[in-house]
Amino acid sequence: FTGTDFAARYSALSQIDEILPAQPSADDQDLSVQRLICDGELPLLLSLVLSDLKGQNSRFKGAASVLREGLNAATDTDGMLHACLTSTADAWMAPLTRAAHWSAAFDHSWLHAKDTARLADTAYACISMLTQTGLVASPPDSLRDINTTPGDVFRHALRAVGVRESSPYTSLANTCSQRQRGKLKQSRRARALEPSNQSDWAESAILRSGLLVDSDLCLINWDKPQSEIHLAVLGMPLVSGRWDSQVTVNGSSVGPVEHWHCSCWFSDDEAAFIELEADPTESVHVVRHVMLSLQDHMAVICESVTTKDADAVVRLSSQLPLAAEPLAVTNSITREIVLHSDRISSRVIPAWLLDDRIQHTTGRCEKDDDHLLSEAEGVGGATVSLLLDWHPDRKAVDADWTPLTVTEARKVQTAQTAAGFRVRVGKRQTLIYRSLQPAEAPRAVMGLHTLNETVYGRVKKSGEVTPLVLVEGE
């Protein structure tokens, strides 16, 4: 290409921060896409093209150092990308990928062996955030170039580090990059992999059921004061944005619920689970749970608040941001809500409310503009527990549910100490149990005796509970 073309192209690239969202960590220059391009990719390319001129080796080393610093600053040792970059992961990955291909073409790579491995792990983590519409944390209209998708960027990144075309990660990236061109090819063996991951350093967790384009995916970020949740069901976005909560105690607001930290993480071949905690005041404690079934197309999103005052009236309002403006249809008999959006339908079951609409209950669950609003009230504490079900075979089956009585040494537990729920959708029955205060003896709920802090389980026909998630008590 000519020098004029070269200058014009990279002049445009250097202005990329003007069309990208502001980086949440703007004070950390090592995370800046603009720095990767202007101080890394562009000088490295110039040093390769002008390699016969004096001083280009020094320029190459300086540029390579910037690229390596950017890679290491934005990822943990397992390649997990920091939460503040998850919505623009393709823009961040692009200069690293282009630089890798340029240096390979000139047989003068800037990647050391450990950098190659880290870039590969980062590409895997980024691909795990792909859905049918792009990155799960990005709005559908966020693409800067309609001819380039995030899948394009990540598949070229895998090529740059030598990952084979037969890799399920490469297959998923290829599928996502080809989808807008009317092609859809994917390896069914990708279901066997477990791409879920979590990082305390990155302040992010990926819960994913497989490496197919229609896999279920939930991304949780807590790098900002208020955490974010992004949920895609069958590869299509359902929930995306900031997860807000308001807590009142005896009619007085306790202030914003923010500054979350991850206290528990779990993943196996059946379920992925994360727990976040926050303390808006010294006497108020808030816990959030997300459990994604990796085999059965359902999830549980639970939030609870407790106070030290056992007689305080506590009210919890939790708001989940809805993506793609789904149509909400309420059931005429139960309090179930069905969210209909592009090509998907998801049932929302408010397990803390009585299922029969005729019976009076405290609290509510409804679509409020672009949010799903859940409210509960209790003495000493309150819990809202949503079960979302989008299994195609369970669309038309009946559902029923009920809050459960929890006892300890024959004493019924209050909303301050424990909460339990049973939900049945067709033949699938789920137990949800939360211990909100430490137990001195095993607690009984629906025939289960346990000292565990959390139990999510599948209830068999015999009444036996098969655990999906068990969290031990303190």
Side-chain angles (χ1 to χ4, degrees), residues 118-129:
R118 190 154 181 167
L119 186 59
D121 289 339
T122 303
Y124 293 152
C126 291
I127 290 171
S128 297
M129 295 186 288

Side-chain angles (χ1 to χ4, degrees), residues 52-326:
D52 291 340
L53 299 181
K54 184 178 179 180
Q56 298 310 307
N57 188 48
S58 175
R59 175 178 291 180
F60 178 89
K61 290 182 178 179
S65 177
V66 169
L67 293 172
R68 284 193 292 269
E69 288 173 2
L71 174 62
N72 293 330
T75 61
D76 69 1
T77 54
D78 294 328
M80 190 77 167
L81 191 65
H82 194 273
C84 71
L85 293 169
T86 53
S87 63
T88 56
D90 54 333
W92 175 86
M93 178 71 78
L96 298 175
T97 301
R98 290 191 298 260
H101 281 290
W102 276 115
S103 59
F106 283 87
D107 198 23
H108 190 29
S109 178
W110 64 272
L111 290 165
H112 297 154
K114 63 179 182 180
D115 303 318
T116 301
R118 190 154 181 167
L119 186 59
D121 289 339
T122 303
Y124 293 152
C126 291
I127 290 171
S128 297
M129 295 186 288
L130 285 177
T131 69
Q132 296 188 41
T133 60
L135 287 165
V136 69
S138 297
D141 59 351
S142 65
L143 294 178
R144 273 74 64 190
D145 183 348
I146 61 173
N147 295 315
T148 303
T149 66
D152 289 316
V153 176
F154 302 142
R155 69 187 178 91
H156 284 297
L158 292 180
R159 287 180 55 197
V161 294
V163 177
R164 295 180 179 180
E165 287 291 324
S166 59
S167 166
Y169 286 94
T170 304
S171 177
L172 176 56
N174 286 337
T175 301
C176 291
S177 66
Q178 294 169 351
R179 188 158 190 79
Q180 293 187 359
R181 299 172 177 84
K183 300 178 182 178
L184 182 59
K185 297 179 181 179
Q186 52 188 352
S187 170
R188 306 308 294 182
R189 69 187 181 91
R191 291 195 188 279
L193 294 179
E194 297 178 26
S196 299
N197 200 359
Q198 182 270 349
S199 171
D200 288 334
W201 176 88
E203 298 178 293
S204 181
I206 300 171
L207 288 63
R208 188 176 183 118
S209 62
L211 285 173
L212 300 177
V213 72
D214 58 354
S215 294
D216 302 323
L217 165 65
C218 187
L219 173 70
I220 308 291
N221 292 331
W222 60 94
D223 59 312
K224 301 174 185 177
Q226 293 172 315
S227 64
E228 292 184 354
I229 180 171
H230 306 274
L231 174 65
V233 303
L234 300 176
M236 299 300 294
L238 178 66
V239 174
S240 185
R242 194 175 69 185
W243 185 356
D244 290 328
S245 297
Q246 292 83 39
V247 177
T248 60
V249 178
N250 292 327
S252 300
S253 174
V254 300
V257 182
E258 53 188 21
H259 300 299
W260 298 86
H261 69 275
C262 179
S263 55
C264 185
W265 156 256
F266 169 82
S267 179
D268 64 6
D269 60 347
E270 287 192 293
F273 167 83
I274 187 170
E275 178 181 85
L276 301 179
E277 297 187 31
D279 296 292
T281 68
E282 292 183 357
S283 60
V284 176
H285 184 61
V286 186
V287 180
R288 286 176 175 171
H289 284 179
V290 177
M291 190 278 289
L292 178 68
S293 172
L294 304 184
Q295 299 178 357
D296 214 17
H297 300 304
M298 55 85 66
V300 175
I301 300 178
C302 183
E303 185 165 10
S304 60
V305 57
T306 54
T307 66
K308 293 182 178 180
D309 183 359
D311 298 321
V313 177
V314 179
R315 190 170 188 86
L316 169 64
S317 176
S318 182
Q319 301 177 35
L320 292 176
L322 296 173
E325 299 183 359

Side-chain angles (χ1 to χ4, degrees), residues 413-429:
Q413 300 301 290
T414 67
Q416 183 193 36
T417 56
F421 312 96
R422 176 198 62 80
V423 180
R424 183 184 64 83
V425 182
K427 296 181 180 180
R428 195 190 196 289
Q429 192 164 196

